[in-house]
């Protein structure tokens, strides 16, 4: 996106390309802004219905990460129509449609193309009050970092593709990817968060880097406090690591200070490219207990994994 030309100066563009945020936000009226995002990808699990539902949960997540409510969505579909039965496509779309319904919206259209490799996702439109947009750039030194889903979906979906994922790992990863971030976003709305993003392709540390950099602060992560999906460390050690995770590790090499004692698998998982990952929130210390209580009421996870500190913008120290 950084290669796009500079956008026109428009005061109604509340969130554009500048800070690499989760969605674009455009003010329509003093009390109403549109939130627009899209995401699609190739299958991460074998079951077509489950893939469709995960892709929809993942696309909706960027709306929730902005503190917004989804309004409607349209499908984005690529499918090898001459190579696979159309019933497979119907199952993908049914999964997406059911997940959108769970989020309280309908899918109202879309577009499909014939493509060798199946791909599916949504373009989602939501709304938010312009004063309640949760950006990635609002974090301040002393803010505590709270994460709402365990890490490891990149490693485990790679192991699923190679048919070496233990059943308990696969089940836990699929459950996590299927879970909407709506409950986490509702909890977030009840406390005063300074900044938030969702954890997806750049991994926990990649998204934290962008949040911290946009906020003009550094960050510290307590590796022992970060939740990981079952057996994800074992699978990372066994080399079940997606290419995206490896490129995150390379990108972050000069932006993260690692303790020499940290096992390689943990380092990999902190960079692991996530699908439909949790929200990462930066909140004042006194809001941690109310936020964790609100997350629990919503049935969402909540782990205090680190903090923002004064320092070189975007620099992360893992301890
Ligand atoms: Co996002
Ligand atoms: Co996104």
């Amino acid at each position: 996106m950084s290669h796009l030309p500079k956008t026109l100066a428009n005061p109604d563009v509340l969130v554009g390309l500048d800070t690499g945020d989760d969605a674009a936000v455009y003010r329509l009226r003093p009390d109403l802004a549109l939130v627009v995002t899209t995401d699609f990808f190739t299958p991460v699990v074998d079951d077509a219905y489950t893939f469709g539902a995960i892709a929809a949960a993942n696309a909706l997540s960027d709306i929730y990460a902005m503190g917004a409510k989804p309004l409607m969505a349209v499908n984005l579909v690529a499918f090898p129509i001459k190579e696979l039965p159309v019933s497979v496509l119907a199952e993908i779309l049914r999964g997406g449609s059911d997940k959108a319904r769970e989020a309280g919206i309908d899918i109202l259209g879309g577009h499909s193309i014939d493509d060798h490799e199946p791909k599916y996702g949504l373009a989602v439109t939501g709304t938010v009050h312009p004063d309640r947009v949760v950006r990635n750039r609002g974090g301040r030194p002393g803010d505590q970092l709270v994460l709402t889903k365990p890490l490891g979906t990149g490693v485990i979906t790679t192991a699923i593709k190679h048919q070496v994922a233990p059943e308990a790992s696969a089940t836990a990863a699929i459950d996590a990817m299927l879970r909407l971030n709506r409950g986490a976003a509702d909890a977030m709305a009840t406390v005063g968060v300074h900044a938030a993003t969702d954890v997806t392709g750049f991994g926990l540390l990649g998204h934290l880097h962008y949040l911290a950099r946009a906020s003009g602060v550094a960050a510290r992560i307590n590796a022992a406090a970060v939740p990981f999906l079952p057996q994800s460390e074992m699978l990372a050690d066994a080399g079940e690591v997606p290419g995206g995770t490896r490129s995150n590790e390379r990108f972050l090499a000069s932006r993260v200070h690692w303790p020499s004692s940290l096992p390689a698998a943990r380092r990999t998982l902190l960079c692991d490219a996530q699908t439909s990952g949790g929200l990462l929130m930066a909140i004042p210390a006194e809001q941690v207990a109310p936020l964790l209580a609100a997350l629990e009421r919503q049935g969402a996870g909540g782990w205090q994994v680190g903090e923002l500190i004064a320092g070189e913008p975007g620099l992360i120290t893992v301890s």
Side-chain angles (χ1 to χ4, degrees):
M1 293 298 174
S2 60
H3 297 280
L4 287 173
K6 212 172 150 34
T7 49
L8 300 169
N10 180 340
D12 289 320
V13 176
L14 302 184
V15 178
L17 295 172
D18 309 347
T19 55
D21 218 317
D22 295 296
V25 182
Y26 191 96
R27 181 170 51 209
L28 296 174
R29 300 192 314 236
D31 63 342
L32 183 68
L34 269 186
V35 183
V36 178
T37 183
T38 183
D39 214 333
F40 65 101
F41 45 72
T42 57
V44 287
V45 292
D46 296 327
D47 181 66
Y49 177 89
T50 306
F51 166 52
I54 289 171
N58 179 77
L60 283 155
S61 175
D62 279 326
I63 296 285
Y64 295 126
M66 301 306 290
K69 294 216 178 319
L71 210 57
M72 61 175 170
V74 293
N75 283 322
L76 301 168
V77 181
F79 194 77
I81 200 71
K82 293 175 208 78
E83 295 154 55
L84 283 176
V86 73
S87 59
V88 174
L89 175 56
E91 278 299 282
I92 294 172
L93 298 182
R94 192 169 68 85
S97 168
D98 282 355
K99 188 53 69 176
R101 188 60 66 85
E102 185 187 328
I105 65 166
D106 282 313
I107 295 173
L108 300 178
H111 182 69
S112 59
I113 60 165
D114 188 6
D115 190 356
H116 188 66
E117 193 172 27
K119 300 173 189 79
Y120 177 63
L122 302 176
V124 191
T125 301
T127 56
V128 66
H129 191 290
D131 298 340
R132 287 196 284 276
V133 179
V134 180
R135 295 168 170 83
N136 66 358
R137 69 156 197 236
R140 299 171 205 172
D143 280 355
Q144 299 299 300
L145 296 168
V146 171
L147 175 68
T148 69
K149 288 185 190 178
L151 304 179
T153 61
V155 161
I156 293 173
T157 55
T158 301
I160 290 173
K161 276 176 199 149
H162 297 155
Q163 300 180 325
V164 295
E167 172 123 21
S169 298
T171 305
I174 289 168
D175 284 353
M177 292 187 288
L178 283 171
R179 199 176 320 129
L180 287 173
N181 279 329
R182 179 173 59 178
D186 285 348
M188 177 166 81
T190 67
V191 301
V193 303
H194 285 157
T197 190
D198 61 339
V199 177
T200 52
F202 298 133
L204 173 66
L205 295 191
H207 288 282
L208 174 58
H209 164 73
Y210 286 113
L211 185 152
R213 197 177 71 177
S215 300
V217 298
R220 186 154 40 216
I221 283 288
N222 174 10
V226 177
F228 299 111
L229 287 162
Q231 315 241 34
S232 51
E233 290 184 72
M234 179 273 285
L235 292 169
D237 266 332
E240 298 299 324
V241 179
T245 298
R246 290 295 185 215
S247 58
N248 290 341
E249 287 189 86
R250 284 191 295 275
F251 171 78
L252 290 163
S254 63
R255 297 163 172 93
V256 177
H257 289 162
W258 299 99
S260 53
S261 59
L262 193 73
R266 292 219 162 197
R267 182 193 287 231
T268 298
L269 286 168
L270 290 172
C271 300
D272 190 34
Q274 301 298 282
T275 296
S276 191
L279 299 187
L280 174 68
M281 307 173 201
I283 60 168
E286 65 272 17
Q287 297 286 13
V288 171
L291 174 64
L292 293 178
L295 285 167
E296 195 172 340
R297 278 197 301 279
Q298 293 289 344
W303 292 267
Q304 191 178 350
V305 296
E307 61 184 342
L308 299 179
I309 54 177
E312 184 188 324
L315 184 72
I316 300 169
T317 302
V318 176
S319 57

